[in-house]
Amino acid sequence: MQNSAYLLLFIAVMAVATFITRALPFVVLYKISDHPLLRYLGRYLPPTMMVLLLLYCFRDLRFSALSDGPIELLALTLVVVLHLWRGNALLSIMAGTGLYMYLAQ
Amino acid sequence: MNKSLFLTAFKTTLPVLFGYLPLGMAFGILFNELGFHWGYAALMSTLIYAGAGQFMAVGLLASHAGLVEVAITTLLLNSRHLFYGISLIDKFNACWWRKFYLIFGLTDETYSLLTGTSAPKDKKEIDFYLLITVLNHSYWVIGSILGAILGANLSVNTTGLEFTLPALFMVLAIEQYKVVRESRPFVMATIVGLMSIWLFSRDNMLLMSILLSIILLLLSRGKTKLPKLPAEGVA
């Protein structure tokens, strides 16, 4: 019983802490959302974040090891080529993932 | 609920579905090993809804961490979310409970979709955002429950399915390029990201690379005039 009380408290603390990090900019920056600096960041952060999140997915690859990376690179190249060619997000993602799963298994 | 809007939103979130189901299941399976009822896994995924955070939670639970430690680690781990709101303050124009839920559901993947796609022309943006957020959230919860209930009995080979997430970020990066039409943020982020993988631990890499990128963005600001935004969002 003590264990489930701890678990419930644990979940509550984590839920509130996570929400705070997501809500803070909306509370703090709300009044100055027209500021040129914020508009500048609002414009350039999304492209920056996409690249960083993409690289974050591969954070466990060691670029020094030759065995690491080719599968990922191959699948990612397929995604890029397909997407530039057809511009169909779902097709690019599914084809890339299919190739990756095939190679990884 | 509008049927065609739902279908568009569902299609938009499909990559996240294929990413969140296996990831949520992985969380559920790990959580199951702690010996708690699966209902708690469902509760965590419903109320916390943070991928990296919940994986970390399994470790913290196993070591019976103190609640202050839990709060501090969560704040640090999720601090990247502090920067997500900046791009969305204007877009989340809705009544308080909708806004509350949109902010609550702002995961990495939801953020990517909300900043990288836009609603069909005749539809309200905010309804589209809400649908995307609800769908992503439900994938995560369903995956966690499946993982926690099925546990290790799973026989489907899903190795590699998680590649949908990097593939999604790749596609959205290309879509972002179509809007921004400048190579600067992409080149900069690639260099900073690769350097961060090399310099920092796997857990710190994302936050550190975001901080470095923001500093570089601000430093290089003087030289560029903010071009007029083309119509809202991306295709």
Side-chain angles (χ1 to χ4, degrees):
Chain A
M1 205 54 230
Q2 199 213 342
N3 229 2
S4 67
Y6 167 73
L7 188 52
L8 285 175
L9 268 175
F10 182 104
I11 294 173
V13 167
M14 248 189 109
V16 171
T18 304
F19 184 75
I20 287 175
T21 57
R22 288 174 186 166
L24 214 57
F26 293 93
V27 179
V28 177
L29 305 175
Y30 183 70
K31 290 205 175 89
I32 50 165
S33 68
D34 263 345
H35 193 282
L37 207 63
L38 274 187
R39 287 191 44 232
Y40 171 79
L41 281 180
R43 178 175 173 84
Y44 289 108
L45 261 184
T48 306
M49 283 309 308
M50 292 318 131
V51 176
L52 294 180
L53 286 168
L54 171 69
L55 290 171
Y56 177 70
C57 293
F58 301 120
R59 66 193 178 285
D60 286 327
L61 293 183
R62 295 269 66 96
F63 296 101
S64 49
L66 275 178
S67 56
D68 267 6
I71 300 182
E72 284 79 2
L73 214 58
L74 220 65
L76 215 54
T77 309
L78 179 68
V79 173
V80 174
V81 170
L82 265 181
H83 198 67
L84 290 178
W85 179 37
R86 304 304 298 265
N88 183 334
L90 204 55
L91 175 76
S92 323
I93 293 167
M94 293 304 148
T97 306
L99 177 67
Y100 181 80
M101 286 179 77
Y102 174 73
L103 294 173
Q105 292 179 14
Chain B
M1 187 55 71
N2 191 308
K3 208 171 158 190
S4 74
L5 186 65
F6 180 85
L7 273 178
T8 316
F10 180 64
K11 267 195 217 155
T12 308
T13 59
L14 265 184
V16 178
L17 167 69
F18 291 113
Y20 273 13
L21 273 188
L23 273 178
M25 283 173 74
F27 163 73
I29 291 168
L30 283 173
F31 185 82
N32 181 51
E33 286 168 5
L34 292 171
F36 293 116
H37 190 268
W38 63 265
Y40 288 110
L43 195 67
M44 284 180 85
S45 290
T46 308
L47 296 181
I48 300 172
Y49 187 31
Q54 284 177 235
F55 280 101
M56 179 194 73
V58 174
L60 289 173
L61 279 171
S63 63
H64 222 271
L67 294 175
V68 177
E69 188 190 343
V70 174
I72 293 173
T73 345
T74 309
L75 285 173
L76 286 178
L77 182 74
N78 287 327
S79 42
R80 65 179 183 284
H81 290 135
L82 288 174
F83 308 111
Y84 287 0
I86 295 174
S87 320
L88 293 166
I89 289 176
D90 290 335
K91 288 192 165 192
F92 284 4
N93 226 328
C95 61
W96 73 269
W97 65 268
R98 288 177 161 217
K99 199 168 170 179
F100 182 93
Y101 182 71
L102 284 169
I103 293 172
F104 160 81
L106 205 54
T107 59
D108 296 335
E109 291 73 16
T110 307
Y111 168 80
S112 314
L113 290 182
L114 296 192
T115 53
T117 58
S118 56
K121 282 207 178 59
D122 52 330
K123 301 294 192 298
K124 270 205 207 142
E125 288 276 323
I126 206 77
D127 291 337
F128 188 61
Y129 292 165
L130 269 171
L131 268 176
I132 287 178
T133 308
V134 170
L135 284 168
N136 287 352
H137 191 194
S138 64
Y139 305 151
W140 179 249
V141 173
I142 292 168
S144 313
I145 294 176
L146 282 177
I149 290 181
L150 300 175
N153 303 324
L154 227 67
S155 60
V156 193
N157 188 354
T158 55
T159 310
L161 194 58
E162 68 283 353
F163 192 80
T164 45
L165 292 182
L168 171 69
F169 293 135
M170 186 73 247
V171 163
L172 290 173
I174 296 174
E175 291 298 328
Q176 286 286 345
Y177 181 77
K178 290 180 185 167
V179 181
V180 176
R181 290 273 164 209
E182 269 179 80
S183 54
R184 186 175 57 108
F186 298 91
V187 174
M188 209 187 64
T190 307
I191 296 172
V192 170
L194 288 175
M195 264 180 53
S196 301
I197 292 182
W198 181 55
L199 284 174
F200 307 110
S201 74
R202 65 191 296 284
D203 300 326
N204 289 332
M205 175 259 161
L206 189 56
L207 179 62
M208 292 308 290
S209 59
I210 294 174
L211 285 174
L212 280 174
S213 297
I214 289 181
I215 292 172
L216 282 177
L217 274 178
L218 291 177
L219 284 179
S220 60
R221 178 172 175 250
K223 294 161 208 148
T224 47
K225 274 224 144 148
L226 188 64
K228 274 253 179 291
L229 271 172
E232 268 298 292
V234 198

